[in-house]
């Protein structure tokens, strides 16, 4: 590129390198270390002396990282993270580089074999990207999700990480469009699945969960400009995960919600109304979501006569017939489909939207690893149902228990009995 006199020609020459490296990967061929070194070695000097070629340098690094694979990609970290850091330190003059820098950042995270603290020390740089607009919310949330999947508790324990993550959620929850909310939900799902204790604490004490409950109430009331059902479904899943993970903390939090009795009724009604909600392009994660919601509703049933009923528990008991009907449908679905596959939450891409394929195989491995920590994935719904029903008799007493089951449709009751025989 240095031998080309015209700036455009210099850029095109470097773009050719990126295309060639990507083509080698696309054909299933490996890029030799000698070739990789030849492509990368001039980049630090070029970064400092040819500002107009910085986007090309970032693209080459992304292509080389994918081409050399997980075993060797870590050797690029010093050069690559130095450039990424520079983009966000000098953000005003590097605005045009943010997209490429985030893409490289995501690629390196997905290809990381292990988490290192120096990777986490970069994360606070991300919080300024959304200060002025949400242009890069998709990439920011995908990078954040990957940090949680790769680093887990080690990442969240680093100084400044919790503060940065909370700021990102304050900026975005209830503020972005529905499509953006889905990418925010990737972060929330990863947080509550991989680091539930720290995640619950962050959402409860940071005011994020209170914001979600307010949005749910506004939707239930049909308020003007309230968030649509497809966003409320995401919030309900976050609420369900929090409730399952830390029930006592959640109940204490909910008592501080203004007019908590009415809010509880609206929240429970939303769980039932949106239980079968479908997104635009089908929902492979629907079954896991429904299982999660049912587990959270079952958790609200009383277990002991000595414990006073919370507003949420009271409303759940009042909707016992509906809950039994939903349980029956899920049990029948599992019987009809054998061991149905439970897929993690994913974003349904619009037809014109650019998908992220770089490191997708490594990303899927990270997701599957996180699924093993998922409270909804790992809990046996049938056994949970049996246990809750047995404790319900003790909690209510025989007479009240009979009255409760008398509310259930006879057909539903008979089919449940047939399943458990």
């Amino acid at each position: 590129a240095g031998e080309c006199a015209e700036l455009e020609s210099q850029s095109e020459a470097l773009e050719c390198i990126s295309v060639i490296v990507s083509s080698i990967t696309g054909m299933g061929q490996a890029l030799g270390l000698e070739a990789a070194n030849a492509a990368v070695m001039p980049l630090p000097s070029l970064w400092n002396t040819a500002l107009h070629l910085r986007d090309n340098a970032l693209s080459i690094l992304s292509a080389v990282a994918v081409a050399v694979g997980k075993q060797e990609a870590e050797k690029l970290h010093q050069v690559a993270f130095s450039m990424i850091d520079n983009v966000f330190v000098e953000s005003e003059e590097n605005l045009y580089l943010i997209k490429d820098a985030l893409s490289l950042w995501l690629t390196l995270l997905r290809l990381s074999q292990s988490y290192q603290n120096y990777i986490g020390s970069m994360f606070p740089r991300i919080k300024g990207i959304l200060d002025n607009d949400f242009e890069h919310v998709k990439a920011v949330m995908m990078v954040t999700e990957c940090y949680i999947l790769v680093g887990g508790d080690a990442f969240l324990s680093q100084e400044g990480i919790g503060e940065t993550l909370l700021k990102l959620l304050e900026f975005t929850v209830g503020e972005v469009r529905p499509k953006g909310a889905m990418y925010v939900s990737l972060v929330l799902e990863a947080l509550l699945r991989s680091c539930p204790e720290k995640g619950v604490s962050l959402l409860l004490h940071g005011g994020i969960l209170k914001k979600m409950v307010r949005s749910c109430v506004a939707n239930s009331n049909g308020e003007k400009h309230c968030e649509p059902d497809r966003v409320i479904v995401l919030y309900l899943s976050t609420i369900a995960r929090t409730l399952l993970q830390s029930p006592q903390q959640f109940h204490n939090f909910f008592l501080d919600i203004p007019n908590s009795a009415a809010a509880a009724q609206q929240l429970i009604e939303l769980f039932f109304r949106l239980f079968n909600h479908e997104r635009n392009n089908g929902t492979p994660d629907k079954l896991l979501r429904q299982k999660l919601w049912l587990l959270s509703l079952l958790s609200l049933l009383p277990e002991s006569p000595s414990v006073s009923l919370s507003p949420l528990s009271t409303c759940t008991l009042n909707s016992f017939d509906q809950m039994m009907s939903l349980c029956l449908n899920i049990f029948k679905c599992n019987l009809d489909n054998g061991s149905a596959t439970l897929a993690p939450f994913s974003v349904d891409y619009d037809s014109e939207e650019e998908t992220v394929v770089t490191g997708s195989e490594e990303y899927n491995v990270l997701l599957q690893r996180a699924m093993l920590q998922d409270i909804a994935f790992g809990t046996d719904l049938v056994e949970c149902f049996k246990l809750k029903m047995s404790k319900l008799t003790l909690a209510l007493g025989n007479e009240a228990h009979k009255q409760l089951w008398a509310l259930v449709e006879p057909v539903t009751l008979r089919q449940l009995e047939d399943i458990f025989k």
Side-chain angles (χ1 to χ4, degrees), residues 76-100:
L76 299 172
H77 281 191
Q78 184 175 353
V79 171
F81 280 120
S82 174
M83 292 181 183
I84 294 169
D85 187 55
N86 186 256
V87 168
F88 297 115
V89 169
E90 302 173 12
S91 56
E92 289 298 320
E93 64 183 72
N94 288 325
L95 287 175
Y96 75 105
L97 295 173
I98 290 178
K99 181 180 178 180
D100 289 325

Side-chain angles (χ1 to χ4, degrees), residues 318-329:
N318 291 338
S319 303
F320 191 72
D321 179 32
Q322 282 180 280
M323 184 164 67
M324 291 304 101
S325 179
L326 293 182
C327 286
L328 175 62
N329 290 338

Side-chain angles (χ1 to χ4, degrees), residues 18 21-31 36 40 58-74 76 103-104 106-111 356-362:
S18 181
V21 173
S22 297
S23 298
I24 292 172
T25 307
M27 292 186 292
Q29 302 295 316
L31 182 70
V40 172
L58 295 172
S59 297
I60 289 173
L61 281 169
S62 288
V64 171
V66 174
V68 298
K70 292 185 71 168
Q71 301 295 329
E72 302 294 338
E74 194 170 303
L76 299 172
S103 177
L104 173 58
L106 180 61
T107 298
L108 294 173
L109 285 171
R110 286 184 171 184
L111 294 173
V356 180
V357 296
T358 302
S360 56
E361 185 177 331
E362 289 79 8

Side-chain angles (χ1 to χ4, degrees), residues 177-201:
R177 293 181 178 181
K179 174 60 75 173
M182 296 187 75
Y183 286 100
V184 177
S185 228
L186 289 176
V187 173
L188 293 167
E189 287 279 307
L191 181 63
L192 292 174
R193 184 184 288 128
S194 301
C195 313
E197 187 176 336
K198 288 185 173 67
V200 166
S201 178

